[in-house]
Amino acid sequence: MFVQKLNPLTGEADWVLVNDPGLGDNDDASADLVATSSYLDMLTDRRRNAAYYAAIRRVIPARKQESSAAAAAAGATTCGQASSSADGAGAGTDLSAVPAPNDREDVRVLDIGTGTGLLAMMAARVLATGDGVVTASGGDAATGAVAAAVDATPSAPVIACEVFPPMHNLSRRVIAGNGLASMIRVLNKRSDEIVAQHPGGTAAAAPAAAKQPKAALQAAVVAHAAAAAAGGGAAAGPDMYGRADIIVTEIFDSELLGEGMIPTMRHAVQHLLKDDGVVIPATSRVYGQLVKCPLMHLMTGLRFGDPCPWPSDGVSAYTAIGDGAGGGCASVPSKSTAAAVTDAAADRVLEALGELDARARVATFCSEDLYEVREMHVDLLYQHAVCRDPSPAPQVSPQYLEVGLKTQQQQPLQTLSDPFLVFEFDWLRPPPPSGRQTVCKVPVLQDGSAHAVLLWWQLGMMPPQYDTRMAAAEPQHQAGRMQNEDPESDRPPVPGGRAPGFSGAACHSPVDRSPQAEPCLQPDAAPLLLSTAPAWLGDCVEAGGDGGPLEGVKQQWRDHWKQCWVQLAYDAVPVRRGNVLRIAFEHDDFNIRSKMVAEAQPGKPAAAAVAAAATVSTSTVANLGTSVAGAPKPLLQSAKERLVALQAEVEEEALTRQQLMPLLSWLGPLALLQLGDRERLHAFGAALRTALEEVAASNGNGVSSAVSGAEVLVVDGSLSLGLLAACHPAVASVTLLQEDNVSAQNWLRASARRVGLAPNKIKSIRSETYFKKLRAASACSASANAGPLVLVSEPYFSGFEQLVPWAHLKFWRDYDVIRGSSAARGGRKVTNFPRRARLVAVAAALPELWRTRCALGDVEGFDLSAANVILGVVGMDGDVRRNRPGCGDGDNSGCGGGGGRQITDKEAAAVASRCSKDADHDADNDEDDLSGDVSRGHGGAECSGSAGGPERQQQLPILPYSVWQAGGGYQELSARQDLLVLDCGGHLDDVQGAVTLTAVHGSMCHAVVLWLEYDLVPTATMAAVHGPGSDGLVVSTAPAADGGPRPTVQGVYLLRQPVELTHGSRLHVAAQFDGLDADISVEVTVLAPLASEISKGNVAKGSMA
């Protein structure tokens, strides 16, 4: 297996060969990929596991009864026919054709996308109950040993497939460890690659062995292994004999369809499932709800002048160094005339980009294209809103209305409609490849600005005939009609009716599986449910909820499934109570898309505001941009200049109509949110002005003297930063190093015209091309009299949603290469910003995220501790734990309390040596000062197994998270402190640092949260240029102190064991930056409390022996 590894300093990806992925080898290059995946999060989702196991326990026994009854009936009929034939034809009749009853009553299960094998083991255990193949406590040791080395035969009762090699290898290990290897055949392939031997084929006799005594099964396993080892024909034979009675799968993402459920089931139902087979889950429904959410609104377009979607928390994201580390709006030095001009230029840049983006959004809205769906934990957004609301949170009514409406203007999320049904899926009848379309009529229940449609799904785990509680019950219809139903239709109300817009679709029998067949589900057909519905809907099944706790297990926060949202129109849509919006939805095999199409209100004229939003006129487009007070506009003094400007505007509009795509189409939502922050761009403008003045001062011209002819090189291709630099009168040329992105190049040309720049003042070039030319250029290619070279970058700008903060230091490497090139320098001054990056750390509580990454033990009665070998886990000491009933199954009461083990003297000495560089560490602290938990590793908590142990725990890399999306419960327990400093003006070298975090709040500590703060201009430089008392300029990627939403991502270092801190408790954090691959390794140690804290009784639990 080849694994692609990205070097964040070069931007290049290398392919690394992995011989045995997923087996926990030290050189397994796939380890980090698996450790940061969602596999562990799925396995700690207790309600998901319980729902699947409950469905399997109900369906398989019922299916076995049906098979037994069918086999008995078929046997009796065939025997009667054979007897009659024998009486008439004599002894020449062959009675061997009469099928044995056992052959007919076997139930076969196919698990598609088995992962660790949990669902396959659930099916195998239920199948094995009472038939003697394997006991509930595990299999026979000899059979298990053989099956651990080879797969079971194609006649195995359970066939599982997994295309990802690390998980394929892991599932075989886990299955063998649970004694079920003889019952489960694991295939390393996609389901549409499975070769099934159907009855009547060349090997038709082979399936008769599907149900055999234990000895015969063992012999078959050994024979199959011998044939495979010898390269015999058995290894190239079919993957499974016959079709499956039941398909069980969990290949759903947050959008439902993104992992290919539709094409997978289209093939599997047709080729791998019996005509009367069952799929678990049986059905799926997609629901929607109209919402007002300023945060989503700003994530869909650059809207200059809109207020910040989150309230200020008193801490600044773009702040002066003297204000401390932080997170929100900017605080820059007092503005001079030059500063006012620079800020006005920044506003003009954002205004121009906003106007162009508005035009591009309108053009997209008027086209036939619909908007793509995006995912977000909206529950956390809502919870944060409720926490900030001083009034009591409103109770959720049975009609799931009035959600937090007492503080509408302050809340970041407000619902404007009831939930409505969008699509239904019956997985026995998957939709055709052409997809489906529908239009939902959504009545508005609250006045406000509609920004988006929230989406979630509900899984019906099994068909109604297998639910004994509901089989005899009369279907209960929901009172009233769903919003998307035609008022004149006679269809039953949701949830009984079909999905909207499926006109002409008739109900079909269970064996009708034509692609055109539309689902026709019965009301309340699936009481066993899974759902991603938002929290305010509670357990309401009619609104797409899950029906509440299952077998005492309530749904907890999970990261592998989120809610989804999609923008409504090109801009906010003002709505009033009583309006009816028409919202179009479509889906193909992998995606759902949506867009508002019009307003419809029977018997009443359309509301003007909504009609204006749905019908875009030329005058509306022309007036989308708004001028900024005090922002200087270029003056056109002559008729020639006015003509040139008019021609440029015509060209710009033509470019906008034909080529400009909305910014969201090539920037991520968080990057777009950052781009619209004017104070952030003001800080970069101030840094540019200071850098130019610093160069002038170093030339002996005095601080007030202006430098001229400067060349600015934007090494990360930031569009806004490049335009801002080109607006400065002292800058002669600006070059953006960009990737080969046509959209970015079109945007550069159009925005340069819009801002009023000279045609040749700003240009772009591919990064690879620039550095090739740099290497080939001669040392004297630049004139000694040329202006200074200013290297600038806007780190952490785009493409960062799934990367830790220090994965965006490529600009530093580029700085180093350019500064080291004599061709680039040419004897001129070279300066750069950011000047340095500081790694900041804070101790924090993150209980939900820690719970989802907890080590596995007993999960639904199965031992999954073998998965800890490759899944990045916490919650384990040195020894590998088995059958852990707490953390392994995600129990609420598990995973808590206690700070781990007492470190050894050798470890204490090593940590004390590292502590010697810590300025905050007292001189009298020695080995006796260190105790408690030690977590270390490359980019995460490495907790090695016991010496000589057969297994180890896979180290957990530092996880990239926006902490406001990390499950809730975020609380900072210490002050924010610098951990190490990276000098971006120097060479790429290894850097070490350490700090002691002292708790200022008492709580359970689960993590150390890390981020980078970029010093655009340090305080010393600001003081030298602008005089004493001037503070430095900082751009921060810090989280909000209260855990609220921010457009930044942090690195979360989870402790191996939580530590209960009290005031004065201390954590020692040491970090090392690897200059070769831009990775950071961290080690956290619980320090013994100071004597003063011991006397007060403030001691961290678990920190003392």
Side-chain angles (χ1 to χ4, degrees):
M1 171 186 173
F2 285 93
V3 176
Q4 195 174 38
K5 297 192 71 175
L6 177 68
N7 187 324
L9 292 179
T10 63
E12 298 176 353
D14 298 325
W15 290 96
V16 180
L17 177 63
V18 181
N19 293 322
D20 294 310
L23 298 183
D25 294 339
N26 291 330
D27 60 348
D28 187 352
S30 66
D32 283 358
L33 179 64
V34 177
T36 56
S37 67
S38 60
Y39 287 109
L40 183 60
D41 185 66
M42 289 188 291
L43 294 170
T44 56
D45 186 349
R46 293 187 63 211
R47 201 188 183 287
R48 164 194 174 271
N49 301 338
Y52 269 94
Y53 208 3
I56 290 171
R57 289 199 305 266
R58 295 182 195 178
V59 172
I60 288 181
R63 187 71 181 180
K64 293 175 77 171
Q65 292 179 2
E66 292 176 358
S67 298
S68 298
T77 302
T78 307
C79 288
Q81 294 174 350
S83 177
S84 299
S85 300
D87 292 341
T93 303
D94 184 9
L95 300 182
S96 62
V98 179
N102 283 348
D103 296 340
R104 290 292 190 92
E105 67 183 69
D106 286 332
V107 173
R108 307 287 301 284
V109 178
L110 172 62
D111 178 11
I112 298 178
T114 192
T116 58
L118 178 61
L119 302 185
M121 292 190 296
M122 290 177 178
R125 181 150 297 176
V126 175
L127 285 170
T129 302
D131 62 6
V133 176
V134 65
T135 63
S137 60
D140 165 272
T143 305
V146 174
V150 299
D151 291 323
T153 65
S155 61
V158 179
I159 304 295
C161 63
E162 174 57 53
V163 70
F164 188 41
M167 299 309 296
H168 169 255
N169 290 335
L170 176 62
S171 63
R172 296 179 64 198
R173 171 181 289 190
V174 172
I175 290 169
N178 283 271
L180 297 171
S182 62
M183 293 191 65
I184 304 173
R185 176 174 173 80
V186 185
L187 306 173
N188 184 203
K189 56 177 59 179
R190 300 193 312 266
S191 61
D192 58 3
E193 297 173 333
I194 293 178
V195 178
Q197 178 67 62
H198 301 302
T202 56
K211 187 172 184 179
Q212 309 172 34
K214 181 192 295 185
L217 184 59
Q218 291 177 349
V221 171
V222 174
H224 180 72
D239 297 314
M240 60 183 292
Y241 290 138
R243 295 173 181 255
D245 296 83
I246 301 168
I247 290 179
V248 58
T249 185
E250 198 272 77
I251 49 174
F252 303 103
D253 65 350
S254 299
E255 194 179 345
L256 183 72
L257 308 179
E259 295 185 13
M261 181 66 177
I262 290 179
T264 297
M265 296 313 301
R266 190 183 298 130
H267 174 272
V269 167
Q270 183 177 359
H271 298 284
L272 303 176
L273 186 66
K274 292 181 179 178
D275 290 340
D276 59 345
V278 179
V279 177
I280 299 175
T283 62
S284 298
R285 287 172 174 159
V286 177
Y287 289 83
Q289 190 171 25
L290 195 65
V291 296
K292 171 186 176 181
C293 181
L295 181 65
M296 295 178 183
H297 182 57
L298 293 182
M299 284 182 170
T300 59
L302 180 58
R303 296 175 170 87
F304 177 69
D306 279 17
C308 182
W310 50 81
S312 174
D313 56 8
V315 191
S316 175
Y318 323 114
T319 181
I321 288 180
D323 294 336
C329 299
S331 174
V332 296
S334 59
K335 300 189 186 301
S336 61
T337 303
V341 171
T342 305
D343 290 350
D347 290 344
R348 189 164 77 248
V349 167
L350 291 179
E351 181 183 9
L353 293 176
E355 291 172 353
L356 291 174
D357 188 44
R359 295 187 179 192
R361 294 199 312 270
V362 169
T364 300
F365 180 79
C366 295
S367 70
E368 296 181 357
D369 296 333
L370 275 64
Y371 299 123
E372 295 182 355
V373 169
R374 303 181 184 277
E375 62 181 29
M376 177 190 294
H377 284 299
V378 297
D379 284 347
L380 303 177
L381 189 66
Y382 172 69
Q383 291 170 10
H384 182 70
V386 171
C387 291
R388 299 191 69 92
D389 184 0
S391 61
Q395 297 295 322
V396 179
S397 68
Q399 290 75 28
Y400 28 86
L401 303 177
E402 304 295 335
V403 180
L405 301 180
K406 293 184 178 181
T407 55
Q408 296 180 9
Q409 302 303 318
Q410 291 76 29
Q411 288 195 354
L413 184 69
Q414 175 189 347
T415 61
L416 301 178
S417 76
D418 275 344
F420 55 90
L421 183 64
V422 178
F423 286 118
E424 276 185 300
F425 299 88
D426 182 343
W427 296 119
L428 287 177
R429 305 174 189 86
S434 59
R436 296 180 295 179
Q437 302 83 34
T438 187
V439 176
C440 300
K441 299 177 182 179
V442 182
V444 178
L445 301 181
Q446 300 293 334
D447 297 350
S449 295
H451 294 137
V453 176
L454 194 63
L455 296 172
W456 63 92
W457 48 252
Q458 179 191 69
L459 301 183
M461 297 305 296
M462 57 186 181
Q465 63 266 30
Y466 293 106
D467 191 334
T468 56
R469 298 174 302 171
M470 300 296 295
E474 191 69 22
Q476 300 294 320
H477 293 268
Q478 179 186 354
R481 296 184 182 272
M482 215 65 174
Q483 290 92 332
N484 57 353
E485 290 190 332
D486 186 348
E488 299 177 358
S489 173
D490 293 331
R491 290 178 299 178
V494 172
R498 295 167 298 174
F502 302 162
S503 58
C507 297
H508 297 271
S509 63
V511 295
D512 181 1
R513 294 178 185 165
S514 60
Q516 294 78 18
E518 292 290 350
C520 184
L521 306 179
Q522 295 299 321
D524 297 328
L528 184 59
L529 304 170
L530 268 179
S531 172
T532 60
W536 59 80
L537 295 177
D539 306 333
C540 186
V541 174
E542 295 83 357
D546 59 13
L550 175 63
E551 299 177 357
V553 178
K554 185 178 180 180
Q555 184 61 61
Q556 297 174 286
W557 179 81
R558 56 193 170 197
D559 194 42
H560 64 103
W561 287 332
K562 307 176 179 68
Q563 293 80 39
C564 289
W565 62 278
V566 58
Q567 67 185 99
L568 186 63
Y570 72 90
D571 210 341
V573 180
V575 295
R576 298 187 64 84
R577 181 182 178 90
N579 292 149
V580 178
L581 299 187
R582 289 170 53 84
I583 306 176
F585 292 89
E586 68 179 17
H587 77 77
D588 53 26
D589 280 356
F590 297 95
N591 302 106
I592 296 175
R593 291 174 289 272
S594 176
K595 183 173 67 177
M596 187 187 76
V597 291
E599 181 196 29
Q601 191 170 9
K604 295 183 179 180
V610 181
T615 306
V616 183
S617 64
T618 305
S619 60
T620 304
V621 177
N623 294 326
L624 283 175
T626 58
S627 61
V628 181
K633 296 286 186 178
L635 299 177
L636 304 178
Q637 301 294 340
S638 65
K640 182 179 180 180
E641 289 179 332
R642 289 195 295 271
L643 180 60
V644 171
L646 181 60
Q647 291 175 344
E649 184 176 352
V650 172
E651 293 177 0
E652 173 195 313
E653 291 192 7
L655 185 63
T656 301
R657 288 194 302 270
Q658 298 176 7
Q659 298 179 351
L660 277 193
M661 299 295 292
L663 288 171
L664 184 62
S665 66
W666 57 284
L667 293 178
L670 295 186
L672 189 58
L673 199 60
Q674 280 191 351
L675 179 62
D677 194 312
R678 64 185 299 222
E679 298 300 336
R680 187 173 190 269
L681 193 58
H682 286 181
F684 280 99
L688 175 63
R689 186 183 71 254
T690 301
L692 294 174
E693 293 175 355
E694 181 186 14
V695 171
S698 65
N699 288 334
N701 299 329
V703 173
S704 61
S705 177
V707 67
S708 61
E711 178 188 354
V712 175
L713 188 63
V714 185
V715 300
D716 66 341
S718 168
L719 178 61
S720 59
L721 190 52
L723 293 171
L724 177 60
C727 290
H728 200 286
V731 174
S733 65
V734 177
T735 302
L736 277 65
L737 303 187
Q738 294 182 325
E739 300 302 325
D740 192 9
N741 188 323
V742 176
S743 294
Q745 294 171 5
N746 292 337
W747 265 93
L748 178 60
R749 292 196 296 269
S751 56
R753 292 193 189 102
R754 188 72 176 178
V755 174
L757 298 175
N760 298 324
K761 191 169 185 180
I762 185 170
K763 63 180 181 180
S764 67
I765 185 174
R766 290 185 60 189
S767 300
E768 181 181 358
T769 303
Y770 175 82
F771 286 107
K772 283 184 178 179
K773 290 183 177 180
L774 196 64
R775 288 191 294 268
S778 62
C780 59
S781 59
S783 172
N785 297 324
L789 175 62
V790 183
L791 308 177
V792 302
S793 176
E794 189 176 3
Y796 217 66
F797 173 68
S798 62
F800 58 79
E801 279 95 347
Q802 298 178 350
L803 297 176
V804 289
W806 44 92
H808 303 277
L809 294 174
K810 181 178 181 295
F811 75 92
W812 185 9
R813 179 257 186 188
D814 292 342
Y815 285 179
D816 202 9
V817 172
I818 296 170
R819 283 192 301 261
S821 170
S822 58
R825 296 195 313 270
R828 53 182 173 170
K829 296 287 185 179
V830 180
T831 186
N832 65 269
F833 68 84
R835 300 291 177 85
R836 64 182 187 181
R838 292 176 288 112
L839 183 65
V840 182
V842 67
L846 276 171
E848 291 301 303
L849 180 60
W850 196 94
R851 175 185 57 80
T852 63
R853 306 301 305 188
C854 195
L856 299 171
D858 183 282
V859 178
E860 296 294 333
F862 299 94
D863 181 11
L864 264 67
S865 60
N868 297 328
V869 174
I870 70 167
L871 298 180
V873 299
V874 294
M876 292 178 61
D877 291 331
D879 295 331
V880 176
R881 298 182 182 177
R882 296 184 180 273
N883 301 320
R884 301 175 67 251
C887 300
D889 61 7
D891 188 273
N892 292 338
S893 61
C895 313
R901 60 185 175 85
Q902 173 77 23
I903 67 173
T904 64
D905 291 341
K906 183 178 180 180
E907 289 172 331
V911 174
S913 176
R914 286 187 291 269
C915 293
S916 62
K917 297 183 180 181
D918 183 6
D920 296 329
H921 198 263
D922 296 334
D924 57 350
N925 285 340
D926 54 17
E927 298 176 8
D928 295 334
D929 187 48
L930 305 170
S931 62
D933 180 77
V934 177
S935 297
R936 63 179 73 87
H938 300 289
E942 178 183 11
C943 306
S944 301
S946 57
E951 296 179 349
R952 63 182 181 87
Q953 176 183 348
Q954 170 61 39
Q955 65 182 29
L956 176 63
I958 298 177
L959 303 174
Y961 268 96
S962 289
V963 296
W964 75 276
Q965 288 278 284
Y970 178 73
Q971 181 185 9
E972 296 187 1
L973 306 179
S974 71
R976 302 177 173 189
Q977 297 191 46
D978 292 350
L979 182 54
L980 57 79
V981 178
L982 306 175
D983 182 10
C984 301
H987 294 293
L988 280 165
D989 292 320
D990 294 347
V991 181
Q992 295 181 349
V995 69
T996 297
L997 301 177
T998 302
V1000 296
H1001 301 290
S1003 183
M1004 189 70 71
C1005 180
H1006 302 91
V1008 173
V1009 179
L1010 307 163
W1011 64 89
L1012 287 178
E1013 303 211 343
Y1014 296 97
D1015 294 338
L1016 303 182
V1017 182
T1019 302
T1021 303
M1022 290 291 291
V1025 175
H1026 299 289
S1030 299
D1031 292 323
L1033 296 170
V1034 178
V1035 172
S1036 176
T1037 62
D1042 61 355
R1046 285 290 185 271
T1048 55
V1049 175
Q1050 295 76 45
V1052 178
Y1053 174 97
L1054 292 177
L1055 301 180
R1056 184 176 59 193
Q1057 293 288 352
V1059 179
E1060 185 173 353
L1061 301 180
T1062 57
H1063 189 280
S1065 300
R1066 298 182 301 155
L1067 296 178
H1068 180 269
V1069 183
Q1072 178 170 344
F1073 174 79
D1074 185 346
L1076 184 62
D1077 56 6
D1079 194 14
I1080 290 180
S1081 58
V1082 175
E1083 179 176 329
V1084 178
T1085 308
V1086 181
L1087 299 179
L1090 297 175
S1092 58
E1093 298 299 331
I1094 295 177
S1095 63
K1096 298 177 183 178
N1098 296 329
V1099 179
K1101 290 187 178 180
S1103 65
M1104 297 295 291

